[in-house]
Amino acid sequence: MDFDLTEEQAMVRTMVKDFADREIVPTAREYDRQEKFPWDILKKMASLGLLGAPIPQKYGGMGLDHIGYSLLIEEIGRASFAMRSCVSAHMSLCQQTILQWGTETQKQKYLPRLARGEMLGAFGTTEPNVGSDVSAIETTAV
């Protein structure tokens, strides 16, 4: 079994590491202290295509494989856990959910805008009776 990164995966890791070191690390602590959301950093990530990394190109994403996406999340998380949480919820919980279970109309409507950073995705998992125990959620959508 070959555990070496592909050329694309190595390039993603280098690009995101350089971005994180330059744009996230210098301000992460201050953003956390001020409880301020780093919209400016998110916009820069969007301009590099990072907010749609695992989404197929036909929906405006980069089409990264799972390893490339994991490397991206790892480098963002190294720089700021808060930013990693935001970015992974945006892509994994929101975009991947739409990609997996959305209609084609929903995919066309939302995925390109999410990938471009025009919208910020989230995932609601809390209810009064169950907290964040997703296996006990009572709400359903029809």
Side-chain angles (χ1 to χ4, degrees):
M1 182 174 271
D2 183 5
F3 290 103
D4 291 334
L5 298 178
T6 67
E7 186 176 332
E8 180 183 41
Q9 292 164 346
M11 287 173 43
V12 166
R13 174 190 261 170
T14 299
M15 177 188 56
V16 178
K17 180 185 184 315
D18 292 347
F19 175 85
D21 288 343
R22 186 180 62 253
E23 301 292 340
I24 300 173
V25 170
T27 59
R29 183 174 294 197
E30 195 57 33
Y31 277 115
D32 288 348
R33 281 189 182 136
Q34 293 179 10
E35 297 178 7
K36 181 180 172 189
F37 189 80
W39 288 109
D40 57 328
I41 295 172
L42 213 60
K43 288 178 185 176
K44 290 176 184 177
M45 291 179 72
S47 72
L48 294 173
L50 299 179
L51 295 184
I55 302 304
Q57 292 177 350
K58 78 181 225 175
Y59 298 117
M62 292 175 70
L64 285 185
D65 64 9
H66 294 297
I67 293 173
Y69 174 60
S70 296
L71 293 167
L72 180 150
I73 291 300
E74 180 179 59
E75 289 299 333
I76 298 297
R78 180 186 55 79
S80 166
F81 183 81
M83 180 60 88
R84 193 254 352 130
S85 296
C86 171
V87 169
S88 65
H90 172 78
M91 289 188 275
S92 295
L93 298 176
C94 179
Q95 291 182 74
Q96 293 284 11
T97 299
I98 294 169
L99 186 64
Q100 180 77 29
W101 291 286
T103 65
E104 186 59 32
T105 301
Q106 290 168 328
K107 292 173 190 179
Q108 295 286 340
K109 180 177 181 179
Y110 295 110
L111 292 177
R113 293 178 66 204
L114 288 160
R116 289 190 302 266
E118 295 171 8
M119 300 172 72
L120 182 59
F123 191 77
T125 58
T126 189
E127 291 183 347
N129 296 329
V130 298
S132 59
D133 177 4
V134 295
S135 66
I137 286 182
E138 301 165 340
T139 302
T140 58
V142 179

